[in-house]
Amino acid sequence: SEVSSMSKQLRAGLLLTLTALIWGSAFVAQSVGMDYVEPFTYLFSRNVIGGIILIPIMKFVDKFNGKENNPSAEPKDKRTLIIGGICCGIALFVASSFQQIGIKYTSVGKAGFITSLYMIIVPIFGIFLKKHVPKKVWIAVVIAIIGMYFLCMTGETGINNGDILVLLCAVGFSFHILIIDHFSPKVDGVHLSCIQFWICALISFFPMVILEKPTFSMILAAWAPILYAGALSSGAGYTLQIIAQKDIEPTIASLICSLESVFSVLAGWVILGETLSPRELFGCALVFAAVILAQLPERRPNLSCKDLQREESRPHHSTL
């Protein structure tokens, strides 16, 4: 029913807001961790921890749902799960790598603003996938981007190599959101998330060993920020994202996830004692307003019972 659908969307919105809060606060851990290890080492370590943490959670969820003694689903469903996990893992690796490396060559403010551009990249890609994007969402995207400008851009000008890498990161995260939108309704979200972490860790392992040659003492020195990022940002955050995206449009999901940048500023204020200027507070308010606008229910004309049945039977997710 329509009421049930709105309830699911509200729950999904709250879960994605919690995800954005986790990711935003993880910027503090990410910044501290880079004082001890290189990008691919950090990426490998956090994804291994995320994958390890999800294994017992996955077994618990299977037991709770009565799947523990059931030798899983059809071969077709297993294949879909594996393909989805691999695709999500590759997209996550590409996006995270570009971001991690790009931040080394540009300011955090510019990186935050450029990364947030996935808000508009997702609906643009959605047009090519024949997804309907309501006018209010486009308005919300424009408001959010203006808000991100006030929040993150602090007078730096010009485009450098780091900016280009972070822009590629935004494209990567756009693909990640759309891939999740395709696979999450078809497979178990926790299983999908667990597979993507191990795929991302596996890919990260090779450049880590070849280019960075980390030592155990280096990783041990960064145990706290790596553990935080692995357990919460990876283990909890990306899993909540996959679960929530079953019930919400990818464009709105990208808008809510963009609150990550707002929460990162707030985390810096609360944890690191960084002050918020009136400009930054104005930017935060604009982004919050955009997210709320995007989630307001659309006014729909009165439909007959047959029209409502036809509306409910339409697929809500596109195919890639």
Side-chain angles (χ1 to χ4, degrees):
S1 68
E2 191 172 349
V3 174
S4 175
S5 176
M6 289 179 61
S7 176
K8 288 181 178 180
Q9 289 182 28
L10 177 60
R11 186 193 67 171
L14 292 174
L15 288 177
L16 286 175
T17 302
L18 176 59
T19 300
L21 173 61
I22 293 171
W23 286 345
S25 59
F27 266 100
V28 175
Q30 186 175 349
S31 176
V32 174
M34 294 307 295
D35 292 336
Y36 302 95
V37 294
E38 294 295 317
F40 291 114
T41 302
Y42 190 85
L43 195 60
F44 169 80
S45 303
R46 68 179 289 183
N47 279 281
V48 167
I49 292 174
I52 291 173
I53 287 176
L54 277 196
I55 291 175
I57 295 176
M58 191 169 58
K59 292 185 178 297
F60 173 79
V61 171
D62 286 347
K63 184 177 181 179
F64 181 79
N65 293 329
K67 298 180 181 179
E68 188 181 38
N69 298 320
N70 185 7
S72 202
E74 300 287 332
K76 181 181 178 182
D77 296 330
K78 286 184 177 179
R79 185 166 60 251
T80 301
L81 175 63
I82 293 172
I83 293 174
I86 292 173
C87 292
C88 286
I90 292 173
L92 180 61
F93 167 78
V94 171
S96 300
S97 298
F98 279 132
Q99 184 186 55
Q100 202 71 40
I101 298 171
I103 285 176
K104 296 177 65 176
Y105 303 104
T106 189
S107 68
V108 173
K110 290 179 75 174
F113 174 73
I114 296 171
T115 300
S116 71
L117 292 179
Y118 67 70
M119 289 184 295
I120 196 168
I121 297 174
V122 168
I124 289 174
F125 284 168
I127 293 174
F128 294 103
L129 298 174
K130 298 182 179 179
K131 291 189 69 68
H132 170 65
V133 180
K135 186 182 296 183
K136 63 167 186 175
V137 174
W138 285 109
I139 296 173
V141 166
V142 173
I143 294 173
I145 289 177
I146 295 172
M148 292 306 304
Y149 178 85
F150 281 103
L151 177 64
C152 299
M153 299 295 279
T154 55
E156 303 97 331
T157 57
I159 298 177
N160 58 37
N161 291 334
D163 299 334
I164 295 173
L165 289 173
V166 178
L167 179 60
L168 292 173
C169 146
V171 175
F173 277 125
S174 301
F175 276 109
H176 187 246
I177 288 173
L178 291 172
I179 291 170
I180 290 174
D181 178 60
H182 175 70
F183 285 103
S184 61
K186 303 178 180 180
V187 298
D188 182 89
V190 180
H191 287 246
L192 181 66
S193 188
C194 187
I195 293 174
Q196 80 163 351
F197 292 145
W198 288 110
I199 293 297
C200 186
L202 178 64
I203 302 173
S204 305
F205 175 79
F206 296 101
M208 177 189 73
V209 173
I210 296 172
L211 301 176
E212 298 175 354
K213 298 180 173 60
T215 63
F216 181 73
S217 60
M218 292 167 56
I219 297 176
L220 191 61
W223 73 269
I226 288 176
L227 181 62
Y228 181 89
L232 289 180
S233 184
S234 292
Y238 285 110
T239 303
L240 288 174
Q241 179 196 15
I242 288 175
I243 293 172
Q245 273 199 235
K246 288 184 178 182
D247 302 309
I248 199 166
E249 286 296 319
T251 300
I252 298 178
S254 69
L255 270 170
I256 299 174
C257 289
S258 73
L259 288 172
E260 168 190 358
S261 297
V262 178
F263 288 130
S264 68
V265 174
L266 296 175
W269 175 43
V270 174
I271 300 173
L272 302 179
E274 298 175 349
T275 58
L276 289 173
S277 67
R279 173 193 178 98
E280 290 171 326
L281 288 172
F282 179 63
C284 289
L286 284 177
V287 176
F288 273 113
V291 171
I292 293 172
L293 172 63
Q295 296 183 84
L296 291 176
E298 289 188 86
R299 301 183 69 178
R300 302 171 64 185
N302 293 327
L303 300 176
S304 66
C305 293
K306 288 185 179 180
D307 289 332
L308 284 171
Q309 290 175 354
R310 192 180 304 116
E311 189 78 11
E312 288 295 324
S313 65
R314 289 179 183 174
H316 294 284
H317 295 273
S318 66
T319 55
L320 292 177

